[in-house]
Amino acid sequence: MTVSKDQKSFAAKSTILSVDAMGGDQGPAAVVAGLSLFAKKDRKTQFILHGPVATLTDLVAKRRNLEGRCTIIDATGVVTMDDKPSQVVRHGKDTSMWSAIESVRDGKADVAVSCGNTGALMALSMIRLRKLPGVNRPAIAVLWPSRNPQGFNVMLDVGADIRADADDLLRYALMGASYARNGMNLPRPRVGLLNVGTEDHKGRQELKDANELIRDYQGNADFDYVGFVEGGDIQGDIADVIVTDGFTGNVAIKTGEGTAKLIGDLLKEAFKYTILSRIASLLALTSLRRLQKRIDPRGKNGGVFLGLNGTVVKSHGSADALGVAAAITLAAQLSQSGFNSKLAARVAAVLPQEDENTEGNSA
């Protein structure tokens, strides 16, 4: 891999983001367009782009606001959505995804961003970045539309690992609360543990054990534990952080996405049914657009891999320029807040013997 020589060097203290330009369904043009949208609002952040140097050089040259802000690292291989994580780990060193992770591992960038294969991205991230001390299983956290004032709740895990014992769920609570503080500016987030009911006697044994662990630990962790919550509370206002295992979380968000799409499709059909309903849709156009903007997943695109020695943001595979810009915005915010060092301190605090190097960090 080579770095193009015609790019300006980065400022020493700039926020630097490592971007996999080849992972998304819409190709590198959408990724570069998303960078340009972000760059219109942020004039300091620098980018390392990973992919075919000739292709990316041409795309960047068409965006004047990216001039002097992009270094391109040539990576000819592409991780497809059909590639198995194990194959990518063994044979993917020439890919843009591997290269993007490597820039974070080598300290050249603060956060990696990719629209690519989630399983492969998590596998590479775990192997190249390694897990934080005290973390058994990393988690993927997403922002889900809610009735809370901030408009979104944090939910984790949503698919990094289908299993989670009581200790894992405690660490998810710590990581999710830290993400809410640094990614959503909530000084003292409320944490809920997803279960089949709110009563203490319900649920599997690991949930009951986790319930006690999180309740006992909340006083030292700057969050308020609200206890068990149910599926209807994921988009509610009872908690800011919803903790669950990866299997349950993944099913929950995909069910929610599917339901939202069904309601949208049925609403469109209903408005087309008669002339009067079409007139009604015109009268309600402003309100419908406001609703669409509120629930549009592109506006808060980006799942964050938590529990690694480095921050990785997973953008939706089908993200367009607006979606990529949202993922880049999230990555920049997490980088500027020093999120990962704060997260490491918070998790290490669960194991005092491993906390020697993290004192003084506020998470």
Side-chain angles (χ1 to χ4, degrees):
M1 293 182 289
T2 61
V3 180
S4 60
K5 297 180 181 179
D6 59 338
Q7 302 294 334
K8 294 182 180 180
S9 61
F10 292 140
K13 295 185 179 180
S14 295
T15 295
I16 303 175
L17 304 180
S18 177
V19 182
D20 171 12
M22 306 304 294
D25 296 341
Q26 300 194 33
V31 174
V32 174
L35 291 182
S36 181
L37 283 178
F38 169 80
K40 290 178 181 179
K41 299 179 179 179
D42 181 300
R43 298 185 179 183
K44 295 182 179 180
T45 299
Q46 303 282 336
F47 310 102
I48 303 177
L49 290 179
H50 304 263
V53 65
T55 300
L56 295 181
T57 299
D58 289 342
L59 289 171
V60 170
K62 297 176 182 178
R63 306 282 178 171
R64 295 188 63 181
N65 63 345
L66 294 179
E67 183 179 356
R69 297 177 62 179
C70 296
T71 286
I72 299 172
I73 297 184
D74 192 32
T76 56
V78 177
V79 177
T80 70
M81 294 299 179
D82 296 325
D83 286 339
K84 294 181 179 180
S86 58
Q87 293 175 335
V88 177
V89 169
R90 288 196 297 267
H91 308 294
K93 288 187 178 181
D94 66 335
T95 65
S96 57
M97 182 182 287
W98 184 296
S99 183
I101 296 296
E102 207 69 8
S103 286
V104 174
R105 181 177 183 268
D106 294 342
K108 297 176 182 177
D110 306 304
V111 182
V113 181
S114 176
C115 302
N117 182 318
T118 303
L121 185 63
M122 175 56 80
L124 283 181
S125 298
M126 287 182 63
I127 289 175
R128 302 308 296 164
L129 300 179
R130 304 289 184 180
K131 294 178 289 187
L132 288 173
V135 173
N136 182 33
R137 295 187 176 95
I140 303 175
V142 298
L143 298 179
W144 191 253
S146 77
R147 299 187 186 92
N148 274 319
Q150 67 269 16
F152 291 85
N153 289 337
V154 178
M155 184 172 176
L156 74 163
D157 178 26
V158 296
D161 198 316
I162 63 172
R163 300 163 296 170
D165 61 21
D167 281 342
D168 295 326
L169 293 170
L170 169 60
R171 284 158 177 76
Y172 291 173
L174 298 172
M175 294 191 293
S178 186
Y179 179 27
R181 273 189 293 272
N182 294 282
M184 301 173 68
N185 298 315
L186 297 176
R188 193 174 180 88
R190 298 163 299 161
V191 175
L193 181 60
L194 190 63
N195 197 2
V196 295
T198 59
E199 298 87 352
D200 286 350
H201 67 274
K202 288 190 174 181
R204 302 189 303 270
Q205 188 59 47
E206 62 264 30
L207 289 174
K208 297 176 183 177
D209 294 341
N211 184 44
E212 295 181 6
L213 282 175
I214 300 172
R215 179 181 292 134
D216 291 343
Y217 195 79
Q218 63 177 318
N220 299 321
D222 294 329
F223 66 77
D224 293 319
Y225 181 53
V226 301
F228 287 136
V229 295
E230 299 179 283
D233 299 317
I234 295 173
Q235 61 275 355
D237 58 3
I238 292 176
D240 306 299
V241 178
I242 309 295
V243 174
T244 187
D245 61 85
F247 181 90
T248 306
N250 192 268
V251 171
I253 64 165
K254 289 182 177 177
T255 300
E257 289 172 350
T259 302
K261 186 179 185 304
L262 174 63
I263 293 173
D265 291 343
L266 293 177
L267 193 59
K268 289 178 182 178
E269 290 180 14
F271 277 129
K272 293 179 180 178
Y273 193 68
T274 66
I275 294 177
L276 288 177
S277 62
R278 291 179 182 177
I279 294 173
S281 70
L282 292 175
L283 294 174
L285 187 59
T286 300
S287 296
L288 290 173
R289 284 178 175 171
R290 189 182 299 115
L291 174 62
Q292 182 183 33
K293 184 177 181 180
R294 173 74 183 273
I295 64 175
D296 189 349
R298 297 178 302 171
K300 287 293 183 181
N301 175 45
V304 182
F305 292 0
L306 303 178
L308 302 170
N309 285 298
T311 304
V312 179
V313 172
K314 169 62 175 74
S315 173
H316 205 290
S318 60
D320 58 8
L322 183 61
V324 171
I328 294 294
T329 300
L330 175 60
Q333 182 177 353
L334 293 175
S335 174
Q336 291 160 10
S337 71
F339 167 67
N340 212 66
S341 61
K342 295 177 180 179
L343 177 62
R346 183 63 66 189
V347 174
V350 182
L351 300 174
Q353 69 273 20
E354 296 184 8
D355 198 28
E356 295 177 0
N357 298 320
T358 54
E359 280 188 356
N361 287 321
S362 173

